[in-house]
């Protein structure tokens, strides 16, 4: 899962490797990787990018949950 902006970059750079998932998920950044066409470096880079985005999103969610909990239980 990528952001739509990052997905667009992957699609523009390597349309033979990357394609959006059909429907709303694809418009939101869900991306297929054609493993047969992807080299190790491309695949590693794409997976690292998706992982980094998820870690950042999860960290933001945890911070929001802590703030919300603090407001409920002063």
């Amino acid at each position: 899962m990528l952001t739509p902006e990052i997905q667009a970059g992957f699609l523009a750079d390597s349309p033979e490797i990357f394609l959006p998932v059909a429907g709303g998920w694809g418009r939101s950044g869900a991306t297929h990787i054609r493993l047969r066409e992807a080299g190790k470096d491309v695949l590693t880079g794409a997976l690292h990018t998706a992982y980094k985005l998820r870690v950042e999103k999860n960290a933001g969610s945890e911070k929001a949950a802590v703030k919300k909990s603090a407001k409920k239980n002063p």
Side-chain angles (χ1 to χ4, degrees):
M1 188 70 163
L2 305 169
T3 65
E5 297 79 18
I6 293 173
Q7 180 193 54
F10 276 97
L11 296 174
D13 291 343
S14 302
E16 70 283 359
I17 298 173
F18 300 100
L19 66 151
V21 170
W25 280 88
R27 287 188 298 276
S28 297
T31 308
H32 282 293
I33 300 175
R34 293 183 178 117
L35 297 176
R36 189 169 296 197
E37 285 80 17
K40 182 179 178 181
D41 291 340
V42 170
L43 180 59
T44 302
L47 292 174
H48 179 74
T49 299
Y51 173 78
K52 184 178 172 186
L53 290 168
R54 176 53 54 190
V55 168
E56 290 171 359
K57 185 173 182 176
N58 288 352
S61 296
E62 289 174 12
K63 287 179 185 177
V66 168
K67 285 182 182 179
K68 189 175 182 179
S69 177
K71 287 182 181 179
K72 288 183 178 179
N73 303 314

